[in-house]
Amino acid sequence: MTAHLPLATAIAAQPRAIGAVRLSTKPVGGATVIDGLHQQGAAKAVFPRAARGMTAVLLNTSGGVTGGDRFDYAATAGPGTHLTMTTQACERAYRAQPGEVGRVETRLTVADDATLWWLPQETLIFDGCAMTRRLSCDLAATASALIVEPMCLGRIAMGEDAVQGQFSDRIEIRREGAPLVLDAWSLSGDMTEQMARTAIGGGATAMVSLTYVSPDAEAQLDPVRALLPETGGASLLTDDTLVVRTLAPSGYHLRKTLLPILDHLTGGHLPICWRL
């Protein structure tokens, strides 16, 4: 005789994905090498050969994020090093059970004369998702960073043109404790309908937030603006802080805009997984 749990109990007992990666770098003989690495659960990192500095490719072995999942990423680029962090593929924010929220937290620290590029591929928001994402980046006085967070709402190719759910995102970038960029947004309920509103998304289903903090930020303003569509904009917040926001009708159109900008800002060193 087989005993069956009540449905509510079975749902509550479902396993959830937990993962963490903690990484730090140091300079050795003019190269960037691993100083410390901790991996846990469903989060892993691999390190392909890189033409510049070190590249860490993050993998979510659970296949995505659903309600109740927890992922924690932390990275420190040591003095004088160059660290690029990206993802093997697009992250997926899957349908969640009622009352459960998936959480992803990223903490980045960049030491003096170091550079960190945070270049994850798109997050795909599925119908019924519930996800909260937080990213903080602390820069030393002479540190540089490129922070990118692209997002696509629904799967147009699968006919998913109406997405309900909730998603919130917050990015904090600070220089020696002083805020440079504090950017937050959230959608809940009928997200497709909200993005269709003129004052919010104008019908867009994809968008990206990009921040470039570097001594040459002012010099990059005009070249980046030249690569933007009418639905994008670029501004200088300070002499060394350039921000870009772009809306697009689909993930395909977002990539058509974003890849040339990333190629320009990285000097052609965009991770190869972005082109596969």
Side-chain angles (χ1 to χ4, degrees), residues 17-23 37-45 56-65 69-76 85-89 91 103-109 116 118 120 131 133-137 149:
I18 306 296
V21 172
R22 293 194 292 272
L23 169 67
L37 174 63
H38 169 83
Q39 304 180 88
Q40 175 185 346
K44 308 294 182 185
V57 181
L58 299 174
L59 290 76
N60 177 353
T61 60
S62 70
V65 180
D69 291 353
R70 301 290 185 272
F71 287 88
D72 187 358
Y73 303 106
T76 298
M85 301 186 73
T86 187
T87 54
Q88 181 189 33
E91 185 58 280
R103 302 185 187 279
V104 179
E105 183 170 350
T106 303
R107 299 180 304 279
L108 308 174
T109 303
L116 193 151
W118 175 256
M131 182 171 167
R133 188 171 62 184
R134 301 289 182 265
L135 182 146
S136 64
C137 180
E149 286 287 8

Side-chain angles (χ1 to χ4, degrees), residues 5-71:
L5 292 172
L7 179 60
T9 303
I11 290 175
Q14 287 182 353
R16 293 296 178 239
I18 306 296
V21 172
R22 293 194 292 272
L23 169 67
S24 59
T25 63
K26 63 182 179 182
V28 174
T32 297
V33 301
I34 294 174
D35 184 34
L37 174 63
H38 169 83
Q39 304 180 88
Q40 175 185 346
K44 308 294 182 185
V46 296
F47 301 89
R49 293 183 182 273
R52 180 176 179 182
M54 174 186 293
T55 294
V57 181
L58 299 174
L59 290 76
N60 177 353
T61 60
S62 70
V65 180
T66 187
D69 291 353
R70 301 290 185 272
F71 287 88

Side-chain angles (χ1 to χ4, degrees), residues 219-231:
Q220 302 301 338
L221 178 60
D222 287 341
V224 167
R225 280 179 171 170
L227 296 170
L228 288 171
E230 292 183 357
T231 53

Side-chain angles (χ1 to χ4, degrees), residues 109-112 137-143 173-180:
T109 303
V110 193
D112 277 316
C137 180
D138 294 313
L139 301 169
T142 57
I173 303 174
R174 300 177 184 272
R175 169 90 73 187
E176 296 189 297
L180 290 177

Side-chain angles (χ1 to χ4, degrees), residues 213-254:
V213 184
S214 178
D216 69 337
E218 185 173 5
Q220 302 301 338
L221 178 60
D222 287 341
V224 167
R225 280 179 171 170
L227 296 170
L228 288 171
E230 292 183 357
T231 53
S235 300
L236 280 175
L237 297 186
T238 66
D239 290 344
D240 67 349
T241 305
L242 171 66
V243 295
V244 179
R245 302 291 183 269
T246 298
L247 296 168
S250 68
Y252 169 75
H253 290 90
L254 182 67

Side-chain angles (χ1 to χ4, degrees), residues 29-219:
T32 297
V33 301
I34 294 174
D35 184 34
L37 174 63
H38 169 83
Q39 304 180 88
Q40 175 185 346
K44 308 294 182 185
V46 296
F47 301 89
R49 293 183 182 273
R52 180 176 179 182
M54 174 186 293
T55 294
V57 181
L58 299 174
L59 290 76
N60 177 353
T61 60
S62 70
V65 180
T66 187
D69 291 353
R70 301 290 185 272
F71 287 88
D72 187 358
Y73 303 106
T76 298
T81 64
H82 180 98
L83 174 61
T84 298
M85 301 186 73
T86 187
T87 54
Q88 181 189 33
C90 297
E91 185 58 280
R92 292 162 175 80
Y94 286 129
R95 176 182 293 274
Q97 298 291 349
E100 294 193 338
V101 178
R103 302 185 187 279
V104 179
E105 183 170 350
T106 303
R107 299 180 304 279
L108 308 174
T109 303
V110 193
D112 277 316
D113 301 319
T115 300
L116 193 151
W117 292 343
W118 175 256
L119 305 175
Q121 297 188 63
E122 299 93 332
T123 295
L124 306 181
I125 299 179
F126 283 48
D127 185 42
C129 81
M131 182 171 167
T132 295
R133 188 171 62 184
R134 301 289 182 265
L135 182 146
S136 64
C137 180
D138 294 313
L139 301 169
T142 57
S144 299
L146 172 59
I147 308 294
V148 175
E149 286 287 8
M151 181 277 284
C152 296
L153 188 65
R155 298 165 294 168
I156 295 177
M158 300 293 291
E160 192 174 84
D161 56 0
V163 179
Q164 299 267 348
Q166 63 182 85
F167 192 99
S168 68
D169 196 24
R170 182 177 177 87
I171 297 173
E172 300 182 8
I173 303 174
R174 300 177 184 272
R175 169 90 73 187
E176 296 189 297
L180 290 177
V181 176
L182 301 176
D183 186 22
W185 63 270
S186 65
L187 295 171
S188 62
D190 189 336
M191 294 190 282
T192 302
E193 188 277 331
Q194 291 174 53
M195 286 295 290
R197 298 176 189 174
T198 302
I200 298 178
T205 65
M207 60 184 178
V208 66
S209 168
L210 182 154
T211 303
Y212 181 72
V213 184
S214 178
D216 69 337
E218 185 173 5

